[in-house]
Each structure stands twice: as C-alpha cells, then as structure tokens.
C-alpha cells in the first residue's frame, strides 16, 4: 500500500474528495492530513472520515524537522497539496524528489506566485476580464506555483461572474480531475 499525506490550510473540500477517492483504491490511501491552521475545516473533515490529522507550526516545518519526522513515521510515499499556502522547504523536497504535487485554481503560469491563492486568484482573473480560467496540477519545487505542469483544464469565465461563482466552477473542475491526475501520477512513479 502506498501512503499519501495531504497538506491543507483551509476548508479542505479537495482533501475530502481525495480521501474519499483513495478509500476505494487497491494500492493507495490518504493516511495523514497535515494542516498549518488550528481550527481549519479540513481537520473536521479528516476526523469524520477517520483519517489521522495533525496541526503543525512554522517551526515544525522550517526549523525542527518535526513535519519530516511525521512523514517518515507514517511511511508517507507521496505528498499532495490541497489548498496549502506555505512553501515546501528544501529538506522535504529532497526527501520526496518529484513526489510532491499541487493544484492551483488558475491556468499557470498566469495568476501564480506568492500571495496568489484561493479567492485572490479569481478576483484577479475577473478584474482582467479574462474569458477563460481553469485548474493546473503541477509538481512542487522551491518556488510558488513554478514546478513542471502535469495537467490543465479550462473553464469559461462568464459575464456577471463574481469571485465566488468562478471559484465554484473551478472547484468543480478540481473535484473532477485532481484525484484522477494524482492517481495517474502515482502509478507512473511506480512503473
Ligand atoms: C483550491 O481551490 C485550491 O486550488 C487552492 O485553494 C483552494 C482550497 O480549497 N489552492 C491554491 O490557491 C494554492 N495556491 P479547499 O480547501 O476547499 O480544497
């Protein structure tokens, strides 16, 4: 069995979708949810679904190595970011070479980089009067939203869209594609 850790900072709807998807999978399971925000919705979701979750601090990630130790203790093979807003530090990147993946709610390289997450991305897309947005799944490296792109899917930006209506359309794409893209990526690593 391959083990997946999901990192999330917020509500965790993608985390839940990933947990549900891999519950039925013969070879992969989400066995750990790691969160940097005490009280985040993702923690309740993980608890309801019977997946272990832990909250960590900046020090745990960037200084003490506690996060890396947790990943080792739980024999994690792959890391999937789902609305996680901090950079992954070098020691974790080195321990998981090519084994960390992220989803971004826009068509990278547009609307990526520090500070571009969640609602802010959708606001920027609408303010620029773009006709298309979408999702990007990419490998994680030492910069925000800059690793190799593995998958993109577009959706329309409709007249009258608000950041919330666009976010909802983009979320639907995320729910539809992210688990499948993660599954394909993992099976390619194993081959
Ligand atoms: C998702 O839309 C994800 O693409 C985005 O945060 C949202 C989390 O929603 N990630 C980023 O913006 C990363 N730069 P969720 O907590 O409901 O899954």
């Amino acid at each position: 069995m391959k083990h997946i850790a999901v990192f999330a900072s917020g509500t965790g709807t993608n985390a839940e979708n990933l947990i549900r998807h891999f519950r039925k999978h013969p070879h992969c399971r989400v066995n750990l949810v790691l969160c940097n925000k005490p009280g985040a919705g993702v923690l309740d979701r993980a608890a309801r679904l019977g997946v272990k979750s832990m909250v960590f601090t900046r020090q745990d990630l960037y200084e003490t190595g506690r996060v890396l130790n947790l990943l080792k203790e739980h024999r994690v093979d792959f890391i999937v970011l789902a609305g996680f807003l901090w950079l992954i530090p070098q020691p974790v990147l080195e321990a998981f070479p090519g084994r960390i993946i992220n989803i971004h709610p826009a068509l990278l390289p547009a609307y990526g980089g520090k500070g571009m997450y969640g609602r802010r991305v959708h606001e920027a897309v609408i303010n620029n009067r773009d006709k298309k947005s979408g999702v990007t799944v990419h490998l994680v490296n030492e910069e925000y939203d800059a690793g190799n792109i593995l998958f993109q899917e577009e959706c329309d930006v409709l007249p009258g869209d608000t950041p919330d209506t666009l976010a909802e359309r983009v979320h639907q794409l995320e729910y539809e594609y992210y688990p499948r893209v993660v599954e394909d990526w993992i099976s390619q690593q194993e081959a």
Side-chain angles (χ1 to χ4, degrees), residues 99-127:
R99 290 182 171 234
I100 311 177
I101 198 171
N102 181 44
I103 192 158
H104 188 78
L107 298 171
L108 290 174
Y111 305 107
K114 190 167 168 50
M116 287 305 266
Y117 56 83
R119 200 170 199 281
R120 294 194 198 177
V121 172
H122 307 303
E123 275 169 0
V125 169
I126 287 172
N127 288 341

Side-chain angles (χ1 to χ4, degrees), residues 10-14 83 103-105 116-118 145 171 174:
T11 315
T13 61
N14 278 284
I103 192 158
H104 188 78
M116 287 305 266
Y117 56 83
D145 306 319
H171 258 125
E174 296 186 325

Side-chain angles (χ1 to χ4, degrees), residues 87-101:
L87 274 184
I88 300 295
Q90 202 61 39
V92 179
L93 292 171
E94 282 169 14
F96 292 86
R99 290 182 171 234
I100 311 177
I101 198 171

